[in-house]
Amino acid sequence: MTGYTMLRNGGVGNGGQPWVLRWSSRIRLTWLSFTLFIILVFFPLIAHYYLTTIDDADDAGKRIFGPRTGNELCEVKHVQDLCRIRESVSEELLQLEAKRQELNSEIAKLNLKIEACKKSIENAKQDLLQLKNVISQTEHSYKELMAQNQPKLSLPIRLLPDKDDATFPLPKSNRNCRLHNCFDYSRCPLTSGFPVYVYNSDDYPFGSSLDPLIKQAFEATVRTNVYVTENANIACVYIILVGEMQEPVMPKPTELEQQLHSLPYWRTDGHNHLIINLSRKSETQNFIYNISTGRAMIAQSTFYDVQYRPGFDIVVSPLVHAMSEPNFLEIPPQVPVKRKYLFSFQGEKIESLRSSLQEVRSFEEEIEGNAPADYDDRIITTLKAVQDSKLDFVLVEFTCKNQPKASLPTEWALCGERDDRLELLKLSTFALIITPGDTRLVISAGCAMRLFEALEVGAIPVVLGEQVQLPYNDVIRWNEAALIIPKPRITEVHFLLRSISDNDLLAMRRQGRFLWETYFSTSDNVFSTVLAIIRTRIQIPAAPIREEAAVEIPHRSGKAAGTDPNMADNGDLDLGPVETEPPYASPKYLRNFTLTAMDIYRNWNSAPGPFHLFPYTPFDPVLPSEAKFLGSGTGFRPIGGGAGGSGKEFQAALGGNVPREQFTVVMLTYEREEVLMNSLERLNGLPYLNKVVVVWNSPKLPSEDLLWPDIGVPIMVVRTEKNSLNNRFLPWDEIETEAILSIDDDAHLRHDEIMFGFRVWREARDRIVGFPGRYHAWDIPHQSWLYNSNYSCELSMVLTGAAFFHKYYAYLYSYVMPQAIRDMVDEYINCEDIAMNFLVSHLTRKPPIKVTSRWTFRCPGCPQALSHDDSHFHERHKCINFFVKVYGYMPLLYTQFRVDSVLFKTRLPHDKTKCFKFI
């Protein structure tokens, strides 16, 4: 308290100084305030004055703080960049504003157009609705007209005749029997299916006398024939086998006649019965000659003129291969055309040979009217003169070196054993067949045997005697495979044979081989031919050929498959619409009842030729060309007709006979699930695709968790009985289209390539149309054929790994083509594509068609295929040479022809490319 008081009183010990302190304190505050005032007021004024004075200097370039113009300010380097940015942004803003105004204007215009389009759409919908109504009315009217003009026909109710047939009129004589007066048509309606009842020969006494081989072969054939029925009450024809009989136990003619008349369905006169007397030997006797057969038809190899009833009885070929199939490897090739001997003949006529050699009447005596009783005398003299002239190598022998075979009177007996005769015929271009001197013998088993052996080894038959009735002569044109010359022209035979060209010789030999394979070679062929002749005569359609029943493997479909842009990128090409409707099957075959009447000779005489397929023949079951594709929805049309599409869509194609058509993809696979799924996905969106049939060739089923792609069409996975490449060509019943695209599971094809191939096939339905081409070549050092896959300017095969073909060929491959070829395919697990090319070229005598491919055919990233094996090509060499032996010649034909689209590589204006460019 004391210190505080002292301070207030002026300090310690000095009470008069406090006011001084207070004054000095005030002085300091005032000075500080004044100083701050001077600094805050006068210093800026002085600085401003100073700066203003500097700006007024003469050197204007040294002015720093004075006011400056815009141009002067931009002269500073770092400011110039900012100026340029400002100007650029200003310009862009102006441009964007202008564009915004333009876009607003266009939006306004487009809004107007949208409104106009909406109105047009509404009008179009109204027009479309009206068109639909008009189309519906037109379709209804069309159906009404079709119902009026072409009503649907239902099968008539079959009326079975009475068992006694009491009202059937009797002919004046059995020799006058023809179908119209000795055959009961009421038992054979058109829709009956031609049921045939075959008697069991063992139930009758004469059955024990039959040749065991013929009997066994006949029974085996009957068991597999589609026409045979066990119900005798509905049968159209009744068949009984009576020969060939063995000599020691042969019944007497009267006993055999009684046994025939006692048959349960003989009905007093044997109408609608067929008596078959097959001959396995050349010396078979005509024991039916003295038997009353009533109205029954007779089929045998020996007939007298008083016995044979044309158009009613049947001349059959001998049954040489009773219980054995012919060995194709032993049959000589059809080339070279000309062989060692121009013609050959070996035979001996026991009864008249000596008199013929001793007495030879002159031509003058014949001209004067004293005709010789037997032309064989002149034949012997003329043929020996030709042989002695040495103009050509010929071999004629009129005396057998060994004991001749038994023969009928005036008939030339066969010499030697069958193998010896075949060896001679293999060296002969022509084989002479001299008919019996007795003109009343229209055909004999010996002549039929000579004909059989000549056709078997490719010697062209030369039949001397125009009165002869060759086997199946009423349905086969023998002049296409044999020369039938009257005996009086024997002196001109040599000239005639030398004048035939090589092309004609090869054609006749090929036709003869066809006839032998089709009608003569086996017991099944002989029996089927006999039935087919009767069925054709009474104009009943053939039975439908069977199809392979597809056993489907259940599978799950996954999500919808995407479309590979590489596969479906077609530019401006319009490939056609993707099928959104249910699959459309090919039209059914509709010529069931007209074919037998209109094309009878074409059916029976169609050897491999430009417009003929040999399965127009009476095979049982008969092929679709002769019959129909019942149940399959497909049918065969005569090839070469030009049915196909033009450059427009099929629906709009005025030039095509088939306005709408689809195809089926058949894909063979073996345990390559990932590759298969990728291949199936590539088919998504493919136009005109009807169905995909996946032939699962593995005994192991697909994985249960495998999801199959949904490509918009059905995918049928078929299970096979065994792993065989022949399964690729089985005629599956699930294939309802005529066109089949056979494709490997690792093949890459663009959609436009597939569509182009399909369009080309529609214009050439009888050909194989595909992409990868191959050719065959002759290996001179080894004297054999080679398979070649090198690039070449010609080809003779198109691989079926990516090719179109008609379903008709699937039937032929599976049921008609020699079994030896299919066995070869199974043995090597190879060559099925070569076999199909051989078959089609053999039938059509045309090469395949290669179309242009613009994409990689094989999958580069797929697992290794069978074709990559080192032994692949070696096996294919063997296959080609084996197939040549089976066919007897090389059927493949070379071609340098390749099909491109009409406007391929043609530069077109953009507005013209909307037209589809293919064909």
Side-chain angles (χ1 to χ4, degrees):
M1 188 70 183
T2 303
Y4 178 73
T5 305
M6 290 177 65
L7 290 173
R8 293 190 52 164
N9 293 325
V12 178
N14 191 6
Q17 294 179 352
W19 65 270
V20 176
L21 296 173
R22 288 194 300 269
W23 180 82
S24 60
S25 175
R26 291 176 181 174
I27 291 295
R28 287 194 297 268
L29 292 174
T30 303
W31 177 250
L32 179 62
S33 300
F34 179 77
T35 303
L36 291 175
F37 177 79
I38 294 299
I39 292 172
L40 295 176
V41 174
F42 290 98
F43 182 76
L45 294 176
I46 294 170
H48 181 267
Y49 174 78
Y50 176 75
L51 293 175
T52 304
T53 304
I54 293 175
D55 292 339
D56 292 337
D58 296 335
D59 190 358
K62 296 182 179 179
R63 289 180 299 175
I64 300 175
F65 300 101
R68 303 168 183 267
T69 61
N71 293 334
E72 293 176 343
L73 184 63
C74 289
E75 291 179 358
V76 182
K77 184 176 181 180
H78 65 278
V79 180
Q80 291 177 355
D81 295 337
L82 296 177
C83 293
R84 285 194 297 269
I85 293 173
R86 184 190 63 182
E87 293 176 357
S88 175
V89 171
S90 301
E91 293 178 359
E92 290 182 359
L93 290 176
L94 293 176
Q95 293 177 359
L96 289 175
E97 179 64 20
K99 288 184 179 180
R100 187 183 68 82
Q101 294 178 359
E102 292 178 0
L103 290 176
N104 289 335
S105 176
E106 291 181 1
I107 290 173
K109 294 180 180 179
L110 291 176
N111 289 331
L112 295 177
K113 290 183 179 181
I114 289 173
E115 295 297 329
C117 290
K118 288 181 179 180
K119 294 181 181 179
S120 300
I121 290 174
E122 293 297 330
N123 296 333
K125 288 181 178 180
Q126 296 295 330
D127 296 340
L128 179 61
L129 182 62
Q130 295 179 0
L131 288 175
K132 288 182 178 180
N133 294 332
V134 172
I135 291 173
S136 177
Q137 295 176 0
T138 304
E139 290 179 349
H140 183 71
S141 301
Y142 174 76
K143 292 179 180 179
E144 290 182 349
L145 292 175
M146 292 296 294
Q148 296 175 0
N149 299 326
Q150 297 180 358
K152 292 183 178 180
L153 298 178
S154 59
L155 296 178
I157 300 176
R158 182 176 183 183
L159 302 177
L160 297 177
D162 297 334
K163 293 184 179 180
D164 296 335
D165 296 334
T167 59
F168 195 62
L170 297 174
K172 295 181 179 180
S173 173
N174 291 336
R175 289 190 56 188
N176 298 327
C177 268
R178 300 296 185 270
L179 289 176
H180 67 277
N181 58 5
C182 288
F183 190 85
D184 186 4
Y185 280 90
S186 65
R187 302 199 63 87
C188 307
L190 292 175
T191 57
S192 64
F194 191 61
V196 175
Y197 178 79
V198 180
Y199 291 98
N200 187 0
S201 300
D202 293 335
D203 297 338
Y204 306 96
F206 62 83
S208 59
S209 304
L210 295 177
D211 186 315
L213 289 179
I214 289 183
K215 181 180 177 181
Q216 185 178 358
F218 182 78
E219 292 176 350
T221 300
V222 168
R223 285 194 297 267
T224 59
N225 195 276
V226 297
Y227 296 110
V228 175
T229 180
E230 296 181 356
N231 187 357
N233 294 325
I234 66 171
C236 170
V237 176
Y238 301 84
I239 297 178
I240 182 67
L241 178 67
V242 299
E244 179 177 58
M245 289 191 176
Q246 296 175 319
E247 292 287 345
V249 293
M250 182 182 298
K252 296 180 180 180
T254 55
E255 296 176 355
L256 180 59
E257 181 177 335
Q258 292 176 359
Q259 295 175 23
L260 290 177
H261 291 180
S262 64
L263 294 174
Y265 304 100
W266 187 261
R267 298 186 179 91
T268 69
D269 58 3
H271 62 271
N272 289 45
H273 274 66
L274 174 64
I275 300 174
I276 297 180
N277 179 24
L278 299 176
S279 59
R280 193 168 60 91
K281 304 175 183 178
S282 61
E283 61 269 21
T284 302
Q285 301 296 320
N286 184 13
F287 62 89
I288 303 180
Y289 179 70
N290 297 320
I291 295 178
S292 174
T293 57
R295 294 176 175 175
M297 296 173 286
I298 300 175
Q300 62 180 9
S301 300
T302 302
F303 278 103
Y304 285 98
D305 58 352
V306 296
Q307 179 189 16
Y308 179 68
R309 296 165 292 187
F312 193 73
D313 294 327
I314 302 174
V315 179
V316 299
S317 62
L319 188 59
V320 178
H321 301 286
M323 289 302 297
S324 62
E325 295 288 335
N327 189 353
F328 291 98
L329 299 181
E330 296 180 357
I331 300 175
Q334 299 185 31
V335 289
V337 177
K338 293 182 179 179
R339 300 175 177 176
K340 178 180 179 180
Y341 298 111
L342 178 63
F343 60 84
S344 64
F345 177 81
Q346 286 181 327
E348 182 174 345
K349 190 160 63 173
I350 305 299
E351 296 186 2
S352 59
L353 178 57
R354 294 181 179 177
S355 60
S356 298
L357 294 175
Q358 293 175 358
E359 274 188 41
V360 179
R361 295 175 180 260
S362 64
F363 296 111
E364 290 79 4
E365 293 177 343
E366 296 178 24
I367 295 175
E368 292 175 359
N370 299 323
D374 194 347
Y375 278 105
D376 293 352
D377 301 339
R378 188 196 301 177
I379 292 175
I380 295 173
T381 304
T382 304
L383 294 181
K384 283 190 173 184
V386 174
Q387 186 178 24
D388 296 338
S389 66
K390 307 296 183 180
L391 294 177
D392 290 293
F393 285 106
V394 299
L395 191 150
V396 290
E397 295 179 354
F398 301 103
T399 304
C400 295
K401 298 178 181 179
N402 300 320
Q403 183 66 26
K405 304 294 182 180
S407 61
L408 297 175
T410 72
E411 182 186 16
W412 288 91
L414 295 173
C415 295
E417 299 298 328
R418 167 177 159 80
D419 293 340
D420 297 332
R421 297 194 300 269
L422 293 180
E423 289 301 323
L424 175 61
L425 292 175
K426 291 178 181 179
L427 302 176
S428 305
T429 305
F430 296 94
L432 296 184
I433 301 175
I434 305 176
T435 58
D438 187 357
T439 56
R440 296 174 300 175
L441 190 61
V442 295
I443 187 62
S444 65
C447 288
M449 185 65 70
R450 290 180 182 273
L451 179 66
F452 180 95
E453 293 176 352
L455 296 176
E456 181 179 4
V457 297
I460 300 174
V462 180
V463 182
L464 298 179
E466 79 284 0
Q467 80 283 356
V468 68
Q469 299 290 335
L470 297 179
Y472 322 125
N473 62 313
D474 54 342
V475 291
I476 292 180
R477 291 176 179 169
W478 279 105
N479 60 344
E480 296 180 356
L483 296 175
I484 303 176
I485 303 174
K487 287 185 177 181
R489 293 192 180 275
I490 184 59
T491 57
E492 301 172 315
V493 168
H494 187 209
F495 164 77
L496 178 61
L497 300 184
R498 296 188 65 181
S499 64
I500 300 177
S501 65
D502 290 352
N503 291 335
D504 293 337
L505 288 177
L506 183 59
M508 296 181 70
R509 183 173 294 164
R510 187 168 59 243
Q511 176 72 0
R513 172 73 176 269
F514 154 71
L515 295 178
W516 179 80
E517 290 180 351
T518 308
Y519 308 116
F520 294 77
S521 58
T522 64
S523 59
D524 182 69
N525 290 347
V526 173
F527 183 68
S528 299
T529 301
V530 171
L531 293 185
I533 289 177
I534 299 175
R535 180 184 50 75
T536 304
R537 286 175 176 175
I538 62 179
Q539 299 180 349
I540 293 182
I545 190 171
R546 71 179 180 90
E547 292 186 303
E548 289 293 327
V551 180
E552 184 177 6
I553 299 177
H555 59 280
R556 295 186 303 164
S557 297
K559 62 180 181 179
T563 301
D564 189 344
N566 293 327
M567 298 291 107
D569 184 13
N570 307 305
D572 296 328
L573 299 181
D574 187 6
L575 301 184
V578 178
E579 301 296 346
T580 57
E581 300 180 359
Y584 179 78
S586 296
K588 292 185 177 181
Y589 191 76
L590 301 178
R591 298 191 63 210
N592 299 322
F593 299 99
T594 58
L595 187 67
T596 55
M598 297 177 59
D599 300 328
I600 176 172
Y601 280 104
R602 179 182 178 183
N603 296 347
W604 287 83
N605 297 274
S606 297
F611 297 99
H612 302 284
L613 301 181
F614 73 69
Y616 277 116
T617 58
F619 270 96
D620 292 318
V622 186
L623 294 172
S625 59
E626 187 191 359
K628 49 199 170 183
F629 286 176
L630 290 182
S632 68
T634 61
F636 178 79
R637 294 178 178 82
I639 57 182
S646 63
K648 297 183 180 181
E649 293 303 318
F650 297 164
Q651 292 86 339
L654 301 179
N657 297 332
V658 185
R660 182 182 180 188
E661 189 171 14
Q662 295 178 341
F663 63 91
T664 302
V665 169
V666 176
M667 188 176 295
L668 188 72
T669 186
Y670 186 90
E671 297 184 1
R672 297 201 295 182
E673 295 179 353
E674 183 179 358
V675 175
L676 175 64
M677 297 302 107
N678 293 334
S679 297
L680 292 176
E681 289 183 357
R682 287 193 293 270
L683 300 177
N684 185 36
L686 181 61
Y688 304 108
L689 179 59
N690 178 275
K691 185 184 300 182
V692 178
V693 176
V694 177
V695 182
W696 191 263
N697 221 24
S698 171
K700 180 182 177 182
L701 296 180
S703 304
E704 296 182 357
D705 57 348
L706 180 63
L707 292 179
W708 296 70
D710 183 6
I711 60 175
V713 298
I715 297 179
M716 175 70 64
V717 186
V718 179
R719 185 175 184 177
T720 58
E721 296 180 357
K722 64 176 182 179
N723 178 18
S724 173
L725 293 180
N726 292 316
N727 296 332
R728 180 195 296 272
F729 303 123
L730 284 174
W732 302 104
D733 56 1
E734 290 295 333
I735 301 177
E736 299 179 334
T737 60
E738 296 182 7
I740 295 177
L741 173 58
S742 174
I743 188 170
D744 290 338
D745 58 358
D746 58 354
H748 276 209
L749 287 175
R750 292 165 54 100
H751 287 187
D752 57 334
E753 294 173 347
I754 296 176
M755 289 310 305
F756 179 49
F758 183 42
R759 293 174 182 269
V760 173
W761 177 87
R762 296 181 85 239
E763 300 293 339
R765 310 172 76 88
D766 60 328
R767 315 274 283 275
I768 297 178
V769 177
F771 300 90
R774 301 291 186 267
Y775 68 97
H776 66 288
W778 180 251
D779 185 6
I780 297 178
H782 297 88
Q783 293 294 295
S784 62
W785 294 102
L786 295 177
Y787 171 85
N788 204 316
S789 63
N790 296 330
Y791 290 103
S792 174
C793 60
E794 61 183 3
L795 60 95
S796 59
M797 292 174 283
V798 166
L799 301 186
T800 55
F804 285 92
F805 62 89
H806 201 288
K807 186 182 179 182
Y808 186 71
Y809 294 123
Y811 293 94
L812 305 187
Y813 184 97
S814 302
Y815 304 140
V816 178
M817 189 179 68
Q819 181 63 37
I821 296 180
R822 293 190 292 272
D823 293 341
M824 185 78 167
V825 172
D826 288 337
E827 178 182 356
Y828 286 148
I829 315 179
N830 200 342
C831 307
E832 85 286 355
D833 47 359
I834 301 178
M836 177 60 81
N837 278 271
F838 265 71
L839 175 66
V840 177
S841 296
H842 172 66
L843 300 179
T844 62
R845 303 306 303 139
K846 298 177 182 178
I849 296 179
K850 173 180 171 55
V851 294
T852 303
S853 176
R854 300 173 180 82
W855 193 251
T856 303
F857 171 66
R858 288 292 178 186
C859 173
C862 295
Q864 186 173 359
L866 293 174
S867 59
H868 297 161
D869 192 356
D870 294 338
S871 62
H872 176 74
F873 285 93
H874 183 65
E875 292 172 351
R876 293 173 85 82
H877 299 330
K878 291 183 178 179
C879 288
I880 287 186
N881 288 280
F882 179 79
F883 296 164
V884 169
K885 291 182 179 179
V886 173
Y887 282 97
Y889 74 111
M890 170 54 75
L892 298 180
L893 300 173
Y894 292 106
T895 180
Q896 297 182 0
F897 177 75
R898 187 188 73 178
V899 178
D900 288 325
S901 58
V902 174
L903 300 180
F904 180 55
K905 292 186 177 180
T906 301
R907 296 181 179 273
L908 295 176
H910 180 72
D911 58 343
K912 301 295 184 180
T913 57
K914 294 182 180 180
C915 177
F916 192 73
K917 298 181 181 179
F918 289 157
I919 298 188

